[in-house]
Amino acid sequence: MQNVTILGSTGTIGQQTLDVIARHASEYKVYALTANSNVDALLKQCIEYKPEIAVLLDEKTAQELREKLKNQSSVTQVLTGMNGLEQVSSDDKVDIVMAAIVGAAGLKPAMAAANAGKRILLANKETLVMAGNLFMQAVKAGGATLLPIDSEHNAIFQVMPPQQLQHLADGGVRKIILTASGGPFRTFTQQQLEHITPEFALKHPNWVMGAKITIDSATLMNKGLEVIEAHWLFNAKPSQIEVVVHPQSIIHSMVEYVDGSILAQLGNPDMRTPIAYGLGYPNRIESGVSALNLLEIAKLEFEAPDVKRFPCLQLAYDALNIGGTAPAILNAVNELAVAAFLNKQIRFLDISILIAKALNSIKVAPVTSLEQLIAADTEARGFAQSCLANLDSKRLLIA
Ligand code: NAD
Ligand code: MG
């Protein structure tokens, strides 16, 4: 029996993880569940999965959950804040940590799991974008097992034997090909992109995802973050990572070898496949995902991404090439820009404008410590907030 902590259990990935675990109740036990502030969703999960510990961010909501759990005669203990998240990520009793918090908030608990040598199922790509170098070092030093859950990276992991991961050239790998759905606005003209509403952008054609990653998919920042993620996971140079738009999202990514072979992983776009792969590795377990019907799909298409219409992808490559704290700055400003777009404070196209402005204005430094990265994240957020507080320029005003 393996004990599992699910960070961000009320989110899309968190819920899908519980769905897979429920199919294998004799092999996996839910040890801890965590959420930002949704008391009722976490309560419901606690009643169903009976974890030893639940974590909420602040004391007020935690107290509310404690009372509600008591009324239901539940013995689940409720912890709070970052300390609580770090505790359930590193506790001796825990075997597997699903890191599925969204955004920079997921970094510290993921680091705690790495330092404690856990099997980490990493969905929170922002951890690698912000602190790839430090995180990979912590995984190694802590003796942790890192399994990528992001579907593209999971696909690459599946078609590239793990012993080759640190030596692409030795393994005969020429390049990694990340597939991108292209998002809901793939065929939109520049002019059409100017009038996109959050409601419209939240409708992704292929995947069911949380709000932030859905907007990231629409701007192609998601693919940009994934380029940075692939760089750290697979020790690949930026020039070895190519993005190809594949609107059907059936091929989840590919690896090209020097002999001309391209290996791909295919499946229906359902995150329970990579989640089950991570839970069962090196074995395969049932995920609940239906089999791919190739005849029904019939056609797979590919096209080049357009970084003119979707500059976020290029900005991510730029940040990766600049190095140091640049990806952390990109990530922090993107989080704020996406939130501002969802609040109708800025337009869709302003997201990339704000990020470019931050990358051009904030001083980048080599990464020396986690504290320094968190300070860089804070500085970048401060910069973005001051831009958002002064929406006087026409470019940064919602139409
Ligand atoms: P989501 O918004 O649906 O869920 C986020 C979870 O994190 C929720 O449980 C929420 O309560 C928690 N959370 C949010 N802010 C928090 C904070 N400040 N402190 C503590 N907890 C907090 O997001 P999601 O779609 O499940 O995505 C989660 C992560 O997985 C993201 O990093 C995303 O990029 C990555 N990912 C998601 C998908 C997908 O299909 N949804 C695919 C690949 C990667
Ligand atoms: Mg992905």
Side-chain angles (χ1 to χ4, degrees):
M1 185 63 108
Q2 309 220 57
N3 277 324
V4 186
T5 283
I6 304 177
L7 303 169
S9 63
T10 55
T12 316
I13 294 287
Q15 291 175 45
Q16 293 180 95
T17 305
L18 286 169
D19 179 285
V20 177
I21 286 179
R23 295 165 194 274
H24 305 277
S26 58
E27 279 130 281
Y28 303 97
K29 155 112 188 58
V30 176
Y31 173 76
L33 296 174
T34 88
N36 186 13
S37 58
N38 193 334
V39 175
D40 290 334
L42 193 56
L43 174 71
K44 203 162 163 257
Q45 292 184 340
C46 287
I47 301 302
E48 190 172 350
Y49 293 95
K50 303 183 177 52
E52 280 188 34
I53 301 177
V55 185
L56 279 166
L57 218 53
D58 71 70
E59 191 49 48
K60 191 168 161 278
T61 48
Q63 195 49 36
E64 202 184 312
L65 179 64
R66 281 186 198 109
E67 277 156 27
K68 289 186 170 173
L69 283 167
K70 211 168 130 202
N71 290 342
Q72 305 256 3
S73 313
S74 160
V75 293
T76 298
Q77 210 195 323
V78 182
L79 302 180
T80 55
M82 195 46 78
N83 285 344
L85 292 174
E86 286 176 323
Q87 186 177 323
V88 296
S89 304
S90 58
D91 196 299
D92 281 347
K93 287 187 187 164
V94 175
D95 302 295
I96 300 175
V97 176
M98 162 55 84
I101 289 174
V102 61
L107 172 61
K108 279 185 153 183
M111 281 297 263
N115 288 325
K118 302 303 180 195
R119 170 187 287 218
I120 306 169
L121 276 49
L122 187 70
N124 177 270
K125 62 191 85 188
E126 294 90 347
T127 289
L128 282 170
V129 173
M130 286 180 76
N133 200 6
L134 296 177
F135 182 71
M136 294 308 282
Q137 278 172 15
V139 166
K140 211 169 170 192
T145 305
L146 179 59
L147 294 162
I149 297 303
D150 213 344
S151 59
E152 296 76 5
H153 308 75
N154 189 271
I156 293 160
F157 192 92
Q158 291 195 37
V159 297
M160 192 161 69
Q163 63 270 27
Q164 293 175 5
L165 292 189
Q166 291 311 309
H167 306 281
L168 288 193
D170 297 351
V173 173
R174 198 183 274 148
K175 68 180 176 199
I176 284 169
I177 304 168
L178 292 178
T179 52
S181 70
F185 311 129
R186 181 175 60 88
T187 57
F188 277 39
T189 62
Q190 186 75 22
Q191 213 189 0
Q192 286 173 308
L193 289 175
E194 283 179 12
H195 303 288
I196 286 163
T197 61
E199 293 78 13
F200 195 9
L202 282 170
K203 289 192 185 112
H204 193 276
N206 302 344
W207 298 92
V208 183
M209 306 181 287
K212 192 247 174 190
I213 181 176
T214 303
I215 302 305
D216 285 347
S217 297
T219 61
L220 285 202
M221 178 54 91
N222 184 47
K223 214 44 57 181
L225 300 179
E226 290 180 357
V227 168
I228 302 174
E229 188 183 8
H231 164 73
W232 291 114
L233 277 172
F234 306 119
N235 202 9
K237 295 185 204 116
S239 60
Q240 290 176 303
I241 309 167
E242 185 182 328
V243 172
V244 171
V245 174
H246 163 46
Q248 291 84 10
S249 297
I250 295 298
I251 295 182
H252 298 141
S253 275
M254 301 174 249
V255 175
E256 182 183 314
Y257 289 88
V258 288
D259 61 1
S261 296
I262 291 184
L263 301 193
Q265 185 261 355
L266 286 73
N268 283 317
D270 187 321
M271 289 304 291
R272 289 176 302 173
T273 296
I275 291 167
Y277 185 86
L279 285 169
Y281 180 82
N283 301 318
R284 299 266 180 182
I285 62 170
E286 276 282 347
S287 65
V289 178
S290 57
L292 189 60
N293 186 333
L294 287 170
L295 298 181
E296 217 167 75
I297 287 154
K299 211 159 100 181
L300 299 178
E301 293 164 304
F302 306 96
E303 59 191 59
D306 180 353
V307 291
K308 275 219 177 81
R309 280 181 304 137
F310 300 99
C312 285
L313 177 59
Q314 187 58 50
L315 288 171
Y317 269 107
D318 292 347
L320 179 57
N321 281 312
I322 296 167
T325 51
I329 295 168
L330 171 99
N331 180 65
V333 178
N334 179 55
E335 277 187 29
L336 260 83
V338 169
F341 168 67
L342 287 171
N343 288 331
K344 302 196 171 179
Q345 241 181 312
I346 60 172
R347 301 166 309 163
F348 184 74
L349 291 175
D350 292 329
I351 296 173
S352 64
I353 293 172
L354 187 57
I355 297 165
K357 201 167 157 168
L359 283 174
N360 287 330
S361 312
I362 303 172
K363 199 161 172 281
V364 173
V367 173
T368 52
S369 68
L370 194 59
E371 291 67 37
Q372 177 228 13
L373 270 176
I374 291 168
D377 172 273
T378 308
E379 184 192 354
R381 281 168 203 267
F383 177 89
Q385 265 152 358
S386 67
C387 292
L388 292 170
N390 295 297
L391 293 180
D392 49 355
S393 95
K394 278 212 177 79
R395 304 215 68 188
L396 280 172
L397 265 178
I398 189 155

